[in-house]
């Protein structure tokens, strides 16, 4: 029995039919308090969904309750960490069916819930209801609507809502910048940040976290350092979230020394901070540091998550620790209850492939609980090309056939496979694949490289000489090539 703070009522003593037929104001007040208490964050930490379900039961059987009580239940489901966000949408529908009119405080939480389970269709229906009820220019409703469309990868819809806003806040700008990052419009996110400053809005810690994630995805270290300088210049408090974003950015951009400096200077670190640092070390070849950091993390009694184990498996791959990798892979689910997803299986295939255990890697892929994607098969094929060029084990040919079957329209696969056959002198099969490409209308995608100069990224396509300074670049490359040859002969 759980007591709720009122001496006369406990959960197992409430009989809704008798209680709700009573018209007493005092009983109605107690019902309001019960709902408020059941949906408050304090008790929900111990009873995540039971209390919200109880509050939902109460509002459904109560007469003439104001939207405030329904909003509390919708908000509790929408902000729940137990995967019950979809229930917020159903409570909203119950509310409508009973004739309770939603207000401007109802819709933001419903949109938030829809965003969490990518409920685009549900969100569009509610958007129509927002327009019908005249809340389409409410800044709080619009902010969450932008977030919904961004989460559902409908960036043009998000921009449409943003452009139609009469009033904007910092949260509005954060929402549209975040939506751009969600939809991989990284350069647009940076441009929006500049426009935000031009419009007189001062960025907050959340803005910087979003912008740092864009820098991390772009791999633009100079831009990331500039954002860091802005954080220092504005004397922002580097809290756990902002510090983690900095560690992640520096790690993904290749500057693990700076990532380590930020990591070590942080007062409070959560599992995401540790995971970002472990993954940063692992991805750049510092496997020993990554595994040592994982041991240190466990000494602090911090429970690892799926990103942590991805970093650990990546470290084992670079260090050639096959048995350790297998042990960590099993520990992930057996001890921590974390179900392996595609990237974890891909990491295990990489571990086995790098060690030359091709047959074992192939059997591992075949026994996966779901269909392996092209990335996993390409990782295995790459290992076959290194450790078994002539395909003595017969694994390489099986992988090649599987890749073509799985991705028949991906030109890169055909090019890679044709090159593999050509390398071992199997010209007939190489020509056959090239012929299949032509017959299928597939074209080889031009190779692309980029270089960062003075904070700007310059991209080059293979065979493209349209760059204004192309002649100067080629001259400089020829000089470098000549200089390298002179050093070689000295």
């Amino acid at each position: 029995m759980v007591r709720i703070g009122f001496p006369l009522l406990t959960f197992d003593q409430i009989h809704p039919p008798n209680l709700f037929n009573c018209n007493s104001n005092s009983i109605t007040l107690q019902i309001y308090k019960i709902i408020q208490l059941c949906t408050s964050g304090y008790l929900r930490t111990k009873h995540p969904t039971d209390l919200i379900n109880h509050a939902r039961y109460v509002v459904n059987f109560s007469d003439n309750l104001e939207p405030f009580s329904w909003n509390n239940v919708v908000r509790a489901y929408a902000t729940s960490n137990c995967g019950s966000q979809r229930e917020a949408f159903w409570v909203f529908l119950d509310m409508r069916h009973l004739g309770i009119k939603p207000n401007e405080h109802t819709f933001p939480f419903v949109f938030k819930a829809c965003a969490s389970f990518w409920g685009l269709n549900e969100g569009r229906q509610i958007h129509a209801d927002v327009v019908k009820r005249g809340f389409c220019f409410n800044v709080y409703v619009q902010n969450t609507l932008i977030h919904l469309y961004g989460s559902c990868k409908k960036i043009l819809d998000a921009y449409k809502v943003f452009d139609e806003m009469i009033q904007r806040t910092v949260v509005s700008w954060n929402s549209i910048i975040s939506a751009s990052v969600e939809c991989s419009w990284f350069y647009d996110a940076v441009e929006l940040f500049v426009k935000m400053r031009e419009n007189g809005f001062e960025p907050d810690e959340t803005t910087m976290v979003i912008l740092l994630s864009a820098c991390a995805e772009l791999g633009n270290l100079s831009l990331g350092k500039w954002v860091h300088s802005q954080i220092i210049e504005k004397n922002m408090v580097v809290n756990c979230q902002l510090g983690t974003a900095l560690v992640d950015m520096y790690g993904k951009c290749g500057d693990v020394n700076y990532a380590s400096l930020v990591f070590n200077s942080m007062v409070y670190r959560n599992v995401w901070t540790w995971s970002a640092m472990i993954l940063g070390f692992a991805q750049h070849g510092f496997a020993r540091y990554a595994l040592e950091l994982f041991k240190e993390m466990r000494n602090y009694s911090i429970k690892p998550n799926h990103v942590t184990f991805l970093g650990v498996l990546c470290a084992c791959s670079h260090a050639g620790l096959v048995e350790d990798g297998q042990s960590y892979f099993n520990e992930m689910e057996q001890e921590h209850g974390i179900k392996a997803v595609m990237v974890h299986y891909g990491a295990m295939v990489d571990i086995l492939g790098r060690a030359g255990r091709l047959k074992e890697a192939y059997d591992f892929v075949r026994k996966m609980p779901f269909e392996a994607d092209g990335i996993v098969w390409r990782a295995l094929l790459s290992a076959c090309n290194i450790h078994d060029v002539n395909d003595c084990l017969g694994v390489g040919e099986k992988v090649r056939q599987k890749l073509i079957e799985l991705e028949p329209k991906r030109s890169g696969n055909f090019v890679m496979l044709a090159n593999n056959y050509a390398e071992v002198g199997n010209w007939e099969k190489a020509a056959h694949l090239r012929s299949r490409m032509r017959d299928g209308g597939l074209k080889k995608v031009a190779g692309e490289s980029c270089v960062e100069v003075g904070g700007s990224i310059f991209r080059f396509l293979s065979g493209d000489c349209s760059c204004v300074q192309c002649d100067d670049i080629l001259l400089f490359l020829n000089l470098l090539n000549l200089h390298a040859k002179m050093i070689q002969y000295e």
Side-chain angles (χ1 to χ4, degrees):
M1 182 176 69
V2 181
R3 296 196 175 274
I4 60 174
F6 304 105
L8 298 178
L9 294 173
T10 55
F11 289 152
D12 56 353
Q13 291 172 334
I14 292 177
H15 303 286
N18 297 329
L19 180 64
F20 298 149
N21 288 333
C22 178
N23 293 322
S24 169
N25 290 333
S26 62
I27 293 296
T28 303
L29 180 61
Q30 285 198 344
I31 291 174
Y32 281 128
K33 289 183 178 180
I34 290 169
I35 295 168
Q36 191 171 4
L37 191 60
C38 288
T39 55
S40 67
Y42 175 71
L43 285 180
R44 281 197 289 127
T45 55
K46 294 184 178 180
H47 308 274
T49 56
D50 291 343
L51 288 175
I52 311 176
N53 292 338
H54 186 83
R56 180 180 181 179
Y57 184 68
V58 172
V59 295
N60 269 296
F61 283 92
S62 300
D63 293 328
N64 302 321
L65 281 182
E66 296 296 323
F68 169 77
S69 298
W70 288 87
N71 292 348
N72 280 347
V73 180
V74 171
R75 181 193 63 203
Y77 277 126
T79 57
S80 170
N81 294 324
C82 303
S84 58
Q85 287 85 356
R86 192 180 289 272
E87 295 302 316
F89 175 72
W90 295 114
V91 172
F92 174 77
L93 291 185
D94 291 341
M95 179 181 181
R96 294 292 314 280
H97 290 154
L98 291 171
I100 309 297
K101 293 183 179 180
N103 58 25
E104 68 273 17
H105 302 294
T106 312
F107 293 108
F109 292 114
V110 183
F111 284 137
K112 182 179 176 67
C114 291
S116 66
F117 64 84
W118 302 300
L120 179 62
N121 291 332
E122 293 88 343
R124 287 196 190 281
Q125 294 174 41
I126 299 167
H127 188 181
D129 200 27
V130 165
V131 175
K132 178 182 175 182
R133 296 184 179 277
F135 297 125
C136 53
F137 293 111
N138 180 282
V139 65
Y140 303 107
V141 174
Q142 288 175 310
N143 289 345
T144 50
L145 191 52
I146 292 169
H147 171 61
L148 166 68
Y149 285 131
S151 299
C152 296
K153 312 299 182 186
K154 294 295 180 181
I155 187 62
L156 296 180
D157 291 327
Y159 268 91
K160 188 174 186 298
V161 175
F162 182 77
D163 291 338
E164 291 175 352
M165 294 183 78
I166 298 172
Q167 177 191 357
R168 291 172 182 165
T169 64
V170 173
V171 177
S172 308
W173 287 95
N174 289 348
S175 298
I176 192 62
I177 294 172
S178 179
S180 299
V181 174
E182 286 275 353
C183 298
S184 301
W185 287 29
F186 304 118
Y187 288 108
D188 296 83
V190 177
E191 288 179 10
L192 281 167
F193 175 76
V194 174
K195 289 180 181 177
M196 174 185 178
R197 297 290 304 277
E198 290 174 350
N199 280 271
F201 289 90
E202 281 297 318
D204 58 10
E205 286 81 2
T206 303
T207 317
M208 295 309 191
V209 169
I210 300 166
L211 202 59
L212 285 168
S213 67
C215 297
E217 294 300 326
L218 287 170
N220 194 327
L221 181 60
S222 296
L223 183 60
K225 284 185 174 182
W226 177 80
V227 176
H228 193 181
S229 71
Q230 292 293 300
I231 293 169
I232 297 170
E233 182 182 318
K234 295 181 182 302
N235 201 26
M236 290 184 177
V237 176
V238 180
N239 54 23
C240 184
Q241 188 182 22
L242 187 52
T244 302
L246 283 167
V247 172
D248 182 62
M249 183 276 296
Y250 279 120
K252 286 181 177 176
C253 291
D255 199 332
V256 288
N257 289 328
Y258 256 99
S260 186
L261 283 172
V262 175
F263 178 83
N264 291 325
S265 66
M266 291 175 65
V267 177
Y268 176 72
R269 298 173 291 213
N270 62 14
V271 62
W272 297 104
T273 319
W274 288 88
S275 300
M277 193 67 251
I278 291 170
L279 195 58
F281 277 135
Q283 288 178 330
H284 295 285
F286 298 95
R288 182 170 61 85
Y289 292 112
L291 296 175
E292 285 177 358
L293 198 62
F294 179 62
K295 291 178 182 177
E296 185 182 344
M297 172 185 167
R298 299 216 281 196
N299 291 337
Y300 279 93
S301 301
I302 296 175
K303 188 177 180 181
N305 62 15
H306 62 284
V307 179
T308 318
F309 277 104
L310 177 61
V312 170
L313 292 174
C314 185
C316 291
S317 177
H318 284 288
L321 304 174
V322 179
E323 284 70 25
D324 287 345
Q326 291 172 325
S327 175
Y328 285 127
F329 185 84
N330 294 328
E331 176 190 326
M332 181 171 61
E333 185 166 358
Q334 294 172 4
E335 292 188 24
H336 299 280
I338 302 171
K339 282 198 171 184
V341 294
M342 191 68 74
V343 287
H344 297 112
Y345 282 99
M348 271 307 305
V349 171
D350 194 49
I351 290 173
L352 295 168
R354 282 174 182 258
R357 294 160 68 162
L358 305 178
K359 185 69 170 59
E360 192 175 344
Y362 178 75
D363 292 338
F364 180 83
V365 175
R366 298 288 294 177
K367 292 177 182 177
M368 283 171 57
F370 39 76
E371 181 76 16
D373 63 9
I375 297 173
V376 173
W377 287 111
R378 277 190 289 276
L380 181 53
L381 182 60
S382 177
C384 291
N385 295 335
I386 295 171
H387 296 286
D388 191 14
V389 179
N390 296 312
D391 197 20
C392 299
L393 297 174
V395 174
E397 186 61 29
K398 293 177 182 177
V399 176
R400 292 184 189 103
Q401 295 301 322
K402 188 63 182 179
L403 261 177
I404 294 176
E405 176 189 326
L406 190 65
E407 298 175 334
K409 296 295 182 181
R410 186 184 176 94
S411 61
N413 288 341
F414 285 91
V415 173
M416 180 173 63
L417 298 179
N419 290 340
N420 291 160
Y421 285 130
E423 284 175 8
V424 295
N426 196 335
W427 302 108
E428 184 179 344
K429 285 189 176 182
H432 175 67
L433 284 175
R434 295 284 184 181
S435 176
R436 282 186 63 179
M437 281 185 67
R438 287 193 298 270
D439 294 342
L442 302 178
K443 293 184 178 180
K444 179 182 176 182
V445 179
E448 181 182 338
S449 61
C450 61
V451 61
E452 182 181 338
V453 179
S456 299
I457 303 291
F458 296 90
R459 299 184 181 277
F460 301 92
L461 290 173
S462 177
D464 181 16
C465 299
S466 60
C467 176
V468 177
Q469 297 174 312
C470 184
D471 293 337
D472 293 335
I473 293 171
L474 290 174
L475 178 61
F476 185 68
L477 287 174
N478 288 332
L479 287 172
L480 287 175
N481 188 35
L482 180 62
H483 183 66
K485 287 181 179 179
M486 290 176 64
I487 293 174
Q488 182 180 359
Y489 288 114
E490 284 181 357

